[in-house]
Amino acid sequence: MPVAWKQTRTYQDILYETAEGMAKITINRPEVRNAFRPETVMELMDAFAAARDDGSVGVVILTGAGKEAFCSGGDQRVRGEGGYVGADRIPRLNVLDLQRQIRTLPKPVIAMVAGWCIGGGNVLQLVCDLTIAADNAIFGQTGPQVGSFDGGYGAGLLARTVGQKKAREIWYLCRRYTAPEALQMGLVNAVVPLDQLEEETVRWAKEILAKSPTAIRVLKAAFNADTDGLAGIQELAGNATLLYYLTEEAKEGRNAFLEKRKPDFSRFPRLP
Ligand code: S0N
């Protein structure tokens, strides 16, 4: 049965739909192969924040409208000096904020990729937890060809994902890679016929939804901690704090303060 998506928030450049424990966020600018402008990124950040706060959402799917493209990166028509320029005339590289938001979202994000997945679009799928690609998907970086580069996750996480040599090839030569090639290099998790893309992505999402949300949450933070330095450790440690807050031991500390008495931690075990 196809998912009966319900549009639960309204935006200009993106779509936000929810159903059955999933949120689907769609970049909706097919006329420019779903390139993002500053406003697109602002809307995406708002949508991801909504998905984070919605307790009924356990998995987020990020995709692009139509069959032609997942995302072709930054909208080159509004690339000014010092960044991409929106209606407020402020030059921004706010997709970097979005990348971090996807990484730190305490729920898995699955990129559902059909067609072009290029430049900043490829970095967006890279920072997602998992990627399901249609057999028409094409991946690549264009930075050195169009006068830009992403030296953050776009370089470092790519190298951790596909290996140093391959990552350097991808950036230095700006070649394009088919979905099977992307699968072979570990850039995506699965390749399926285009007409089965959403069905397969939803199948993966539902498999995750059947698992322990806390275990998945901490695992995501643990994978991030390996690559994200102190920010990654902060995220992982935040989960430890969250779990600690739920214990009687932590509540004793809070209660003692509120009751203006000394805390009594003597009944709590010091486990080996
Ligand atoms: C995607 C491509 C390969 C599709 O080719 P195809 O199918 O032949 O279609 P086209 O006719 O080329 O395109 C259809 C229409 O869409 C427009 N269009 C496509 N991509 C863009 C885009 N990125 N920006 C604006 N318009 C786009 C075409 O112009 C065409 O419109 P019309 O019909 O009116 O002519 C092919 O289109 C392609 O190669 N696109 C460009 C890909 C690219 O180079 N993207 C930018 C890469 N850079 C980034 O993404 C930067 C990301 C970023 O913000 C950043 C982040 C961190 C640090 C640094 C940066 C940074 O600035 O680099």
Side-chain angles (χ1 to χ4, degrees), residues 226-248:
D226 182 48
T227 48
D228 288 2
L230 203 47
I233 293 169
Q234 180 206 43
E235 193 188 327
L236 187 60
N239 283 292
T241 306
L242 183 158
L243 293 171
Y244 178 56
Y245 270 17
L246 297 173
T247 66
E248 291 306 312

Side-chain angles (χ1 to χ4, degrees), residues 31-33 35-36 72-77 84 93 95-96 99 116 118-121 142 146 148-150 176:
E31 69 281 3
V32 286
R33 301 291 186 261
F36 52 79
S72 62
D75 188 329
Q76 298 305 295
R77 298 171 309 177
Y84 293 81
L93 287 170
V95 75
L96 299 176
Q99 292 171 7
W116 296 107
I118 296 285
T142 61
V146 297
S148 70
F149 59 88
D150 182 341
R176 292 163 180 181

